[in-house]
């Protein structure tokens, strides 16, 4: 039990957490491994979890595989069987989105992938039982997995499964996807459910995988208006990205009245990320996480499951993004500096992988220290225009809860 203490830097307007958030991490987390050279590397857990531990986080739930029955809430059982076949023999011909390229087969891939799903699912169950308010699953957030195929490094869709679990209890779910890529799998799986509001803020599909996530993707049937997409131009930085987040989330939450929030905090919108073209900072990512926390308290009795996601600058960015999500869930502000011992521990690895030097602070300087060019400024302005237009359209359509 932690009491309110001015020195702890409690964020205003948010009640003190009466328990530490649950950190979901365990031995199986690093078994989700597509092999050396794959961008979604389990190497991220070394620096990522150790930085979390340096700010007081302790892993409290080790992921174990979700059952086949649970996976069938969001996946075609024939697809699960296909994953199991690759899991036993990784050399089969490509099918179901699995094969050479983004999502290659590996021995044990069913168990490893089902464990990611199980981690998010058990965390959601603890939230639903009221044992905890907030949980963070950095290895989760595999938002591209589709009902019957793997996609974009994602085999089983753990955020979609956690949402499905909350829906079985009849709760209205707000899903916030801050990854630089469109949260297409979660959107597809809950496309026709008016009780799931998905909001994805990402680099436009005209420039980046998976090529979807446009404002006219609004949900099917009764769910029209509950699928929200804010595509951003390449070059959009924290000024446009965070403004868009702050513009749409409070207004949508007020109308939708979520009873639980699931959020995906991919670190790949960062200016240093090698796979995408936005210029967001860890400072802005932290502010976005604190907004999601505040909305969870305002609308959902504090029920909030956060996950990681993409993020391919493993030393300079991912650990600091995860730390910000954890700090938001702990109602603490970032310490003034990153522990020197932690930086020393990872400096050599960071240099070897061309992700050096490791910053000295959790926050970034404005623009992550990069020049603010005229096209970036235009992209930021356009982000705000897009967010305003999307909000206006969605507020007209969004079904009001009875
Ligand atoms: Zn909170
Ligand atoms: Zn991503």
């Amino acid at each position: 039990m932690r009491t309110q203490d001015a020195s702890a830097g409690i964020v205003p307007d948010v009640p003190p957490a009466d328990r530490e958030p649950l950190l979901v991490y365990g031995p199986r987390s690093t078994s989700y491994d597509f092999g050396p050279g794959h961008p979604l590397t389990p190497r991220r857990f070394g620096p990522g979890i150790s930085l979390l531990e340096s700010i007081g986080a302790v892993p409290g739930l080790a992921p174990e595989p979700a059952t086949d029955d649970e996976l069938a809430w969001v996946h075609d059982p024939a697809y699960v069987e296909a994953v199991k076949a690759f899991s036993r023999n990784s050399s089969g011909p490509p099918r179901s989105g699995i094969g050479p390229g983004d999502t290659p087969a590996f021995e044990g891939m069913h168990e490893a992938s089902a464990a990611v799903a199980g981690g998010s699912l058990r965390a959601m169950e603890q939230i639903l039982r009221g044992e905890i308010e907030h949980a963070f699953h950095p290895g989760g957030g595999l938002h591209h997995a589709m009902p019957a195929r793997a996609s974009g490094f994602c085999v089983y869709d753990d955020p979609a499964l956690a949402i499905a679990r909350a829906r079985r209890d009849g709760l209205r779910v707000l899903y916030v996807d801050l990854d630089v890529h469109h949260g297409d799998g979660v959107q597809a799986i809950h496309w026709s459910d008016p009780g799931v509001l998905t909001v994805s803020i990402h680099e436009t599909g005209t420039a980046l995988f998976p090529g979807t996530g446009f404002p006219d993707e609004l949900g099917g049937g009764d769910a029209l208006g509950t699928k929200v997409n804010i595509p951003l131009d390449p070059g959009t930085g924290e000024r446009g990205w965070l403004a868009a987040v702050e513009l749409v989330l409070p207004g949508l939450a007020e109308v939708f009245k979520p009873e639980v929030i699931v959020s995906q905090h991919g670190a790949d919108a960062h200016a240093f990320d090698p796979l995408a073209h936005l210029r967001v900072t860890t400072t802005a990512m932290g502010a976005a996480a604190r907004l999601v926390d505040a909305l969870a308290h305002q609308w959902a009795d504090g029920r909030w499951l956060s996950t990681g996601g993409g993020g391919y600058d493993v030393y300079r960015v991912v650990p600091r993004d995860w730390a910000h999500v954890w700090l938001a869930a702990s109602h603490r502000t970032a310490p003034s500096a990153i522990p020197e011992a932690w930086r020393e521990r990872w400096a050599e690895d960071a240099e070897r992988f061309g992700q050096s030097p490791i910053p000295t602070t959790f926050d970034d300087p404005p623009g992550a220290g990069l020049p603010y060019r005229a096209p970036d400024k235009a992209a930021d302005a356009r982000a705000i225009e897009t967010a305003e237009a999307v909000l206006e359209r969605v507020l007209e359509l969004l079904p009001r809860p009875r």
Side-chain angles (χ1 to χ4, degrees), residues 240-371:
W241 184 88
L242 185 59
V245 169
E246 291 178 339
L247 201 64
V248 298
L249 289 185
L252 292 175
E254 187 176 356
V255 173
F256 181 75
K257 298 185 172 38
E259 295 162 305
V260 57
I261 298 181
V262 176
S263 59
Q264 201 268 24
H265 299 262
D268 43 9
H270 195 276
F272 297 166
D273 194 86
L275 296 194
H277 321 96
L278 298 193
R279 294 162 73 95
V280 178
T281 57
T282 56
T283 320
M285 291 171 174
R290 289 195 299 277
L291 173 59
V292 175
D293 173 69
L295 293 174
H297 291 285
Q298 189 174 1
W299 299 109
D301 282 335
R303 286 186 285 264
W304 174 31
L305 168 64
S306 54
T307 70
Y312 307 99
D313 193 312
V314 170
Y315 301 97
R316 292 181 299 183
V317 178
V318 173
R320 295 188 301 139
D321 175 48
W322 289 0
H324 267 301
V325 177
W326 174 262
L327 289 162
S330 306
H331 304 170
R332 276 176 286 191
T333 50
S336 58
I338 287 178
E340 188 55 35
W342 181 87
R343 292 182 65 240
E344 279 171 19
R345 164 66 186 84
W346 299 105
E348 207 174 293
D349 291 26
E351 194 167 341
R352 180 151 27 101
F353 289 97
Q355 298 173 351
S356 195
I358 296 175
T360 56
T361 54
F362 289 88
D363 285 335
D364 280 319
L370 301 175

Side-chain angles (χ1 to χ4, degrees), residues 143-144 179-181 264 266 268 309-312:
H143 61 163
H144 295 306
D179 193 279
V180 79
H181 301 94
Q264 201 268 24
D268 43 9
Y312 307 99

Side-chain angles (χ1 to χ4, degrees), residues 33-396:
D33 185 358
F34 295 106
H38 192 281
L40 189 70
T41 168
R43 274 192 293 107
R44 65 205 169 117
F45 291 111
I49 298 297
S50 62
L51 187 61
L52 288 170
E53 287 172 338
S54 82
I55 54 173
V58 180
L61 172 63
E64 288 294 331
T67 67
D68 289 2
D69 285 347
E70 289 165 340
L71 293 172
W73 298 345
V74 298
H75 291 292
D76 183 343
Y79 167 61
V80 175
E81 289 309 313
V83 176
K84 285 183 179 175
F86 278 117
S87 199
R88 290 187 295 265
N89 174 11
S90 61
S91 61
R95 65 172 168 139
S96 307
I98 299 168
D102 278 358
T103 319
F106 61 92
E107 306 267 329
M109 82 184 295
H110 167 75
E111 289 74 15
S113 307
V116 178
S120 292
L121 186 56
R122 300 303 157 232
M124 175 57 80
E125 287 174 342
Q126 290 200 27
I127 291 167
L128 295 175
R129 287 196 299 265
E131 294 166 14
I132 49 164
E133 286 190 323
H134 307 335
F136 177 41
H137 182 197
L142 302 181
H143 61 163
H144 295 306
M146 289 288 175
R149 69 181 161 86
S151 176
F153 319 158
C154 303
V155 179
Y156 297 138
D157 202 314
D158 64 285
L161 186 65
I163 292 167
R165 179 63 189 80
R167 294 297 292 144
R168 291 169 77 87
D169 280 11
L171 299 188
R172 302 166 61 76
V173 184
L174 168 62
Y175 173 68
V176 177
D177 192 314
L178 301 174
D179 193 279
V180 79
H181 301 94
H182 174 222
D184 58 342
V186 180
Q187 174 181 289
I189 286 166
H190 296 290
W191 180 251
S192 301
D193 184 352
V196 180
L197 174 62
T198 66
V199 182
S200 181
I201 294 154
H202 47 262
E203 183 174 341
T204 175
T206 60
L208 194 68
F209 179 89
T212 52
F214 297 99
D216 62 350
E217 297 167 33
L218 290 160
D222 292 347
L224 191 69
T226 61
K227 305 298 167 279
V228 181
N229 288 288
I230 311 212
L232 306 176
D233 290 344
T236 304
E238 61 202 330
R239 296 168 184 84
W241 184 88
L242 185 59
V245 169
E246 291 178 339
L247 201 64
V248 298
L249 289 185
L252 292 175
E254 187 176 356
V255 173
F256 181 75
K257 298 185 172 38
E259 295 162 305
V260 57
I261 298 181
V262 176
S263 59
Q264 201 268 24
H265 299 262
D268 43 9
H270 195 276
F272 297 166
D273 194 86
L275 296 194
H277 321 96
L278 298 193
R279 294 162 73 95
V280 178
T281 57
T282 56
T283 320
M285 291 171 174
R290 289 195 299 277
L291 173 59
V292 175
D293 173 69
L295 293 174
H297 291 285
Q298 189 174 1
W299 299 109
D301 282 335
R303 286 186 285 264
W304 174 31
L305 168 64
S306 54
T307 70
Y312 307 99
D313 193 312
V314 170
Y315 301 97
R316 292 181 299 183
V317 178
V318 173
R320 295 188 301 139
D321 175 48
W322 289 0
H324 267 301
V325 177
W326 174 262
L327 289 162
S330 306
H331 304 170
R332 276 176 286 191
T333 50
S336 58
I338 287 178
E340 188 55 35
W342 181 87
R343 292 182 65 240
E344 279 171 19
R345 164 66 186 84
W346 299 105
E348 207 174 293
D349 291 26
E351 194 167 341
R352 180 151 27 101
F353 289 97
Q355 298 173 351
S356 195
I358 296 175
T360 56
T361 54
F362 289 88
D363 285 335
D364 280 319
L370 301 175
Y372 193 42
R373 308 160 304 187
D376 307 327
K377 204 170 174 178
D380 282 338
R382 179 127 172 79
I384 295 167
E385 280 168 27
T386 302
E388 283 171 345
V390 167
L391 182 65
E392 191 183 333
R393 173 99 176 102
V394 168
L395 288 178
E396 279 169 17

